[in-house]
Amino acid sequence: MYKINKAAIIGAGTMGLGIAGQLANAGVDVLLLDIPAEGDDRNAIAARALERLLDENQPGLLHKDNLQRISIGNIEDDMQRLGDADWIAEAVVERLDIKKSLYRQIDSVRKKGSIVSSNTSTIPISLLVEDMPKSFRAEFAITHFFNPVRFMRLLEIVRGEDTRAEVIECLEDFNESRMGKGIVVCNDTPGFLGNRVGVFAIQTALHTAFRMGLTPEEADAIFGRPMGIPKTGVFGLYDLIGIDLMADVARSLISILPDNDVFHKVADEVPLMTRMINEGYIGNKVAKGGFYQPADAANGISRKTLDFDTFLYREHNPSKPQPAIDAELAGDFTLLLEQDDQYGQYAWEILASTLSYAAALIPAVNESLVAVDDAMKLGYNWIQGPFEMIDAIGVDRFIARLEADKRDVPAFVRTAAGKSFYRVSNGELQTLLADGSYRNLIRADGITRFSEERRKLTPLRDNAAASYFELERNIGIVEFHSKANTLDSESMHLLEYAVHHAAENMAGLIIHNDAQHFSCGVNLGSVLEFIAAEDWNGLDRFLDHFQQTMLAMKYAPIPVVAAPSGLSLGGGFEVLLHADKVIFHANSVTGLVETLVGVVPGGGGVKEMLYRWSERHDDVTKGAWSAFMNIGYGKTARSPLEAAPLALFRDGIDEYIMNRDRLLRTATQAALQLADGYSVARRTPLAMPGRDVWAEMVAWLQEAHKKAHLTPHDVTTGTQIAMIVTGGDVDAGTLLSENDICGLERKAFGTLARTDETRLRIEFMLEHGTPLRN
């Protein structure tokens, strides 16, 4: 009955604009309305909002051309245009009177069978529609998106007492399949799920840090990666969102939560923060800063930290706590809880309170623990949800420690005593219910998360960097699982094994993981170890093994399909370059960025781009120039639509999908389709451009350096790229095979690795996470 082909958004603020942008990304024509502006252009407010969708730092569109799907207007002149919309989403200020007035206007012009929703996160649906006719209430829901809409996966949907089931079904299906969202259906309770648990965790981390006397550096080093939470940390997150805005969020929850809710214990205003807000120290959006302040506006690398006692900024102290805390404990937060120091106690204080708070919401706020876990993973980017974390600790151990601290043990946690919240039974992943029974975890059709499938599987082979499994339907799968999924010799040994095993026993092979990033590239720490030891033979052997593994994968007698999300950079992207087909997530970031650390792609990446560009131009010399320019500048794409013009995405071969939870299922289907009649197509050698074109490229580099467009080491690095793509000191037309070109990659990599400038670039990147221009 309900189908969404056209949409309208009212409110061109951050959230409304983000929803409009994602609708455009989904291929939907959308009308964006805001209040009329003064002056000749009454649509100026909405027009200015569109410019923010093209923000270079955080673009709301997969490609700038998607902007053409958005038309604009204002709520005085263009309300009648809502009559064409199948879905009208309101995202205006959180004032009940304004929303109610708007709904009456919408109802007077909307067509029969259209859906209306609100993006509110604080106002109960019962209050929103209490004065509206039943026909309106039947087609009204809350659709609470998270910011930024393009990147945050969670969508909370709240059904009213009179909302038709078909309306909720339509919103779920459309937003899951077209908008790429993970759906959590919430009861009409204060704060729903994501913000109720997430803001409680943040407030707990904040107040506990002040109570324990921790510095922002100390607190953020713990309340971050070691706990499976984004690295921003609590003070960094306050700066990112805005200290004033976070204070508003806390106040809004205070106003709507019951008086007996424990949130109130961590909601008091902090005097220091009140002073910061009053004096304009409200975070990253102002030059003054917040808890942190860039020490050098020119490089933005070193930062200063607000001293709570003096209210002055001091130099950042990276030695307190020791950086090793993050490195040693990031892989298993339970190890952090075992630390007998203030950092371990800080982590326990946060988790004991937060996990208990989440458990207390079952079943009154939501009967499903999966909904709570999904809310935190999809809405706050936690690696594990609260109940997964309790399972990791051990339910009985968690109870015992709560009791030792004389804390209340939530009833739902008591129900799990002697058991776990998740279990595998008869080959099915099951979850605990409030009555103590279990039920199978069933996702929507097409949704398959490997993090959940993995629980039911035993790897055929694994090591610290990767694992190999066999899926149903005769498909093998490789999962990278090192820190940031960086690649090293263990990664390649596992992938080599998987390719050979799958070639003999499987119909196809998939390379996929359910982590935040597919792979951030080769482990720079390992490369630096080779350089420090001057082990040039060892470095060459590693690169040769990488290249040969890629070629074995490319020419395996079965199809290999990669399914990445997040970052696929450097060596990680070289893996994708050698797959028969890639199923990208829409927000995949791709590119060969090795020049930023003073080396060249050494896993067959230059070779692959040279072939791709030569085939695209039907001319090897033109292909060499294109590959030279793209690799030299380390160009990246932030979506498959941006990747296609850079030859990082192959139209007609590769695909992209909006929902990352559909990657595994789509990749499996693609591998099976390719397996039917699969044959290997080998490449012929390339007739290389030769030394004259190499000289032209070097001359171009030198001229760019004279104009201050390139640094001296950019020229050195670019010269090596030029050597590879032209064949170097050879006659034009000299035939080089893929292995020959791989040999040139290793030669160039080794040459650059011997320079002090490359060593400094790698060290700088490892320390600061940003390139050094030298």
Side-chain angles (χ1 to χ4, degrees):
M1 174 181 177
Y2 294 96
K3 190 172 183 180
I4 298 173
N5 293 312
K6 293 183 178 180
I9 306 298
I10 303 177
T14 299
M15 294 306 301
L17 182 66
I19 298 168
Q22 190 67 355
L23 282 162
N25 290 333
V28 176
D29 290 332
V30 56
L31 170 66
L32 178 64
L33 303 181
D34 207 293
I35 60 174
E38 297 180 358
D40 295 335
D41 185 2
R42 289 171 61 81
N43 298 334
I45 294 175
R48 287 195 297 268
L50 292 186
E51 297 175 5
R52 300 202 304 273
L53 282 177
L54 302 177
D55 181 0
E56 283 294 316
N57 295 321
Q58 196 171 71
L61 299 176
L62 296 176
H63 193 279
K64 61 183 180 180
D65 288 352
N66 287 351
L67 197 66
Q68 299 170 8
R69 296 195 177 100
I70 306 176
S71 59
I72 61 174
N74 68 79
I75 59 173
E76 287 187 7
D77 303 330
D78 300 291
M79 287 297 285
Q80 73 283 355
R81 295 171 63 187
L82 298 179
D84 294 331
D86 303 306
W87 177 23
I88 303 166
E90 166 268 306
V92 301
V93 64
E94 292 285 84
R95 277 183 51 183
L96 185 59
D97 59 331
I98 292 177
K99 292 179 186 289
K100 283 185 172 184
S101 175
L102 184 60
Y103 297 157
R104 286 190 288 270
Q105 296 180 65
I106 292 172
D107 201 34
S108 69
V109 296
R110 76 184 184 99
K111 68 182 179 181
K112 183 180 179 181
S114 62
I115 296 172
V116 183
S117 72
S118 173
N119 188 63
T120 184
S121 60
T122 59
I123 304 175
I125 193 171
S126 56
L127 293 180
L128 290 172
V129 297
E130 61 183 353
D131 301 325
M132 298 302 295
K134 188 171 182 179
S135 59
F136 183 89
R137 299 198 305 268
E139 295 176 329
F140 184 88
I142 288 175
T143 48
H144 178 220
F145 291 86
F146 280 65
N147 184 48
V149 177
R150 174 183 165 186
F151 298 100
M152 297 307 294
R153 298 166 63 192
L154 179 62
L155 171 62
E156 295 179 322
I157 297 179
V158 182
R159 177 182 181 180
E161 184 177 341
D162 298 313
T163 310
R164 288 176 180 159
E166 296 87 352
V167 168
I168 301 300
E169 290 170 3
C170 177
L171 288 171
E172 283 191 76
D173 179 69
F174 175 82
N175 282 285
E176 183 273 307
S177 61
R178 298 284 299 277
M179 297 280 275
K181 298 303 172 185
I183 309 298
V184 171
V185 178
C186 302
N187 295 335
D188 190 20
T189 56
F192 311 136
L193 279 181
N195 281 346
R196 188 159 181 181
V197 178
V199 177
F200 178 84
I202 293 167
Q203 289 296 110
T204 301
L206 179 80
H207 281 262
T208 305
F210 276 109
R211 176 168 52 81
M212 295 182 65
L214 298 180
T215 65
E217 299 103 315
E218 291 176 299
D220 287 355
I222 302 303
F223 189 72
R225 282 175 174 164
M227 290 176 62
I229 293 168
K231 65 178 182 180
T232 316
V234 58
F235 291 100
L237 183 61
Y238 255 83
D239 276 357
L240 179 66
I241 296 174
I243 296 171
D244 54 338
L245 292 180
M246 278 298 298
D248 288 341
V249 170
R251 279 193 291 267
S252 69
L253 285 171
I254 292 170
S255 68
I256 62 176
L257 288 172
D259 291 340
N260 62 349
D261 194 285
V262 296
F263 180 86
H264 296 291
K265 295 181 179 180
V266 292
D268 292 339
E269 291 188 5
V270 177
L272 174 82
M273 295 171 63
T274 301
R275 178 182 177 184
M276 292 174 69
I277 293 171
N278 290 339
E279 297 187 20
Y281 293 91
I282 55 176
N284 298 350
K285 59 186 177 182
V286 296
K288 286 184 175 182
F291 291 109
Y292 299 107
Q293 182 186 70
D296 184 347
N299 62 43
I301 297 165
S302 302
R303 63 179 182 178
K304 295 182 179 180
T305 307
L306 185 66
D307 187 288
F308 295 161
D309 295 324
T310 65
F311 205 72
L312 298 172
Y313 286 98
R314 57 171 172 75
E315 294 297 328
H316 178 59
N317 183 359
S319 64
K320 186 180 182 182
Q322 283 71 27
I325 287 179
D326 181 79
E328 292 174 0
L329 306 178
D332 185 354
F333 78 94
T334 63
L335 298 178
L336 180 61
L337 299 182
E338 296 173 2
Q339 302 301 301
D340 187 20
D341 57 23
Q342 62 176 340
Y343 305 130
Q345 186 60 35
Y346 178 58
W348 167 249
E349 290 284 334
I350 297 169
L351 288 181
S353 298
T354 301
L355 303 185
S356 294
Y357 188 72
L361 302 181
I362 307 291
V365 173
N366 198 299
E367 68 170 10
S368 172
L369 65 87
V370 178
V372 178
D373 280 352
D374 279 356
M376 299 315 299
K377 290 188 291 185
L378 304 181
Y380 279 78
N381 282 333
W382 288 19
I383 293 176
Q384 293 178 292
F387 296 100
E388 292 172 319
M389 296 179 85
I390 297 176
D391 274 354
I393 296 168
V395 174
D396 292 344
R397 290 183 63 191
F398 183 65
I399 292 173
R401 190 159 180 183
L402 290 178
E403 291 177 336
D405 286 354
K406 294 181 170 45
R407 292 174 178 264
D408 292 335
V409 179
F412 188 42
V413 175
R414 290 280 188 200
T415 302
K419 297 183 284 190
S420 60
F421 289 106
Y422 292 86
R423 74 175 188 184
V424 175
S425 179
N426 297 320
E428 296 291 338
L429 182 59
Q430 299 182 327
T431 62
L432 186 70
L433 301 178
D435 63 6
S437 64
Y438 286 89
R439 69 179 175 194
N440 291 346
L441 173 55
I442 300 175
R443 295 288 184 186
D445 185 43
I447 299 294
T448 308
R449 295 180 186 167
F450 187 64
S451 57
E452 294 170 354
E453 292 298 305
R454 190 200 308 114
R455 300 184 192 216
K456 302 182 287 186
L457 302 172
T458 300
L460 271 71
R461 179 168 293 189
D462 64 346
N463 57 35
S467 298
Y468 172 65
F469 303 84
E470 288 184 355
L471 302 176
E472 295 178 354
R473 305 178 74 183
N474 210 28
I475 296 292
I477 182 169
V478 171
E479 177 197 33
F480 298 136
H481 49 64
S482 61
K483 183 179 179 181
N485 288 334
T486 55
L487 306 177
D488 57 18
S489 59
E490 288 195 279
S491 312
M492 290 303 107
H493 282 298
L494 192 287
L495 183 55
E496 179 186 35
Y497 166 81
V499 168
H500 289 303
H501 184 275
E504 295 178 357
N505 301 281
M506 299 280 104
L509 179 66
I510 294 171
I511 307 174
H512 170 70
N513 60 68
D514 203 20
Q516 184 178 5
H517 301 302
F518 176 76
S519 173
C520 293
V522 167
N523 186 330
L524 287 178
S526 298
V527 173
L528 193 59
E529 288 178 4
F530 283 120
I531 293 174
E534 298 186 0
D535 184 6
W536 313 122
N537 289 333
L539 178 60
D540 188 73
R541 285 194 298 272
F542 166 69
L543 294 174
D544 183 52
H545 184 219
F546 194 139
Q547 293 171 342
Q548 295 310 310
T549 301
M550 293 300 97
L551 289 171
M553 187 179 91
K554 183 174 182 62
Y555 294 117
I558 57 169
V560 178
V561 177
S565 60
L567 301 180
S568 301
L569 299 175
F573 187 64
E574 288 178 295
V575 174
L576 304 186
L577 283 170
H578 290 85
D580 290 286
K581 186 181 185 73
V582 183
I583 310 295
F584 289 94
H585 179 233
N587 289 331
S588 294
V589 178
T590 53
L592 297 171
V593 295
E594 286 86 348
T595 57
L596 300 180
V597 290
V599 294
V600 299
V606 181
K607 176 258 301 179
E608 284 300 306
M609 295 310 298
L610 177 60
Y611 268 97
R612 285 194 182 188
W613 280 111
S614 297
E615 291 162 2
R616 178 173 290 194
H617 292 301
D618 195 25
D619 184 302
V620 177
T621 298
K622 290 182 179 178
W625 272 102
S626 292
F628 166 71
M629 297 298 289
N630 281 269
I631 296 171
Y633 279 115
K635 290 186 177 181
T636 59
R638 291 168 294 190
S639 75
L641 292 179
E642 290 184 356
L646 300 176
L648 306 176
F649 176 92
R650 299 166 293 182
D651 288 317
I653 297 177
D654 299 329
E655 300 177 24
Y656 78 90
I657 57 178
M658 296 291 285
N659 193 326
R660 63 176 290 170
D661 286 338
R662 289 182 174 269
L663 285 172
L664 181 55
R665 181 69 63 87
T666 306
T668 301
Q669 293 171 342
L672 291 170
Q673 290 171 357
L674 289 172
D676 186 14
Y678 181 79
S679 61
V680 177
R682 292 191 174 271
R683 285 175 170 154
T684 57
L686 284 177
M688 304 301 287
R691 62 176 66 86
D692 290 344
V693 178
W694 183 20
E696 291 174 10
M697 291 180 177
V698 172
W700 181 92
L701 290 166
Q702 292 170 344
E703 184 63 25
H705 173 55
K706 289 180 183 178
K707 296 177 180 178
H709 296 161
L710 298 177
T711 68
H713 200 53
D714 290 338
V715 175
T716 302
T717 307
T719 298
Q720 293 301 312
I721 298 169
M723 183 272 292
I724 302 168
V725 298
T726 60
D729 189 20
V730 298
D731 295 333
T734 299
L735 295 177
L736 294 186
S737 68
E738 289 186 79
N739 262 316
D740 292 332
I741 301 172
C742 282
L744 294 179
E745 286 186 4
R746 299 199 310 277
K747 177 182 177 182
F749 199 110
T751 298
L752 292 167
R754 288 171 168 83
T755 66
D756 290 338
E757 291 82 1
T758 286
R759 175 182 54 78
L760 289 171
R761 283 194 180 191
I762 294 175
E763 289 174 345
F764 195 86
M765 178 64 76
L766 288 172
E767 181 176 355
H768 299 290
T770 191
L772 171 67
R773 299 301 307 279
N774 61 349

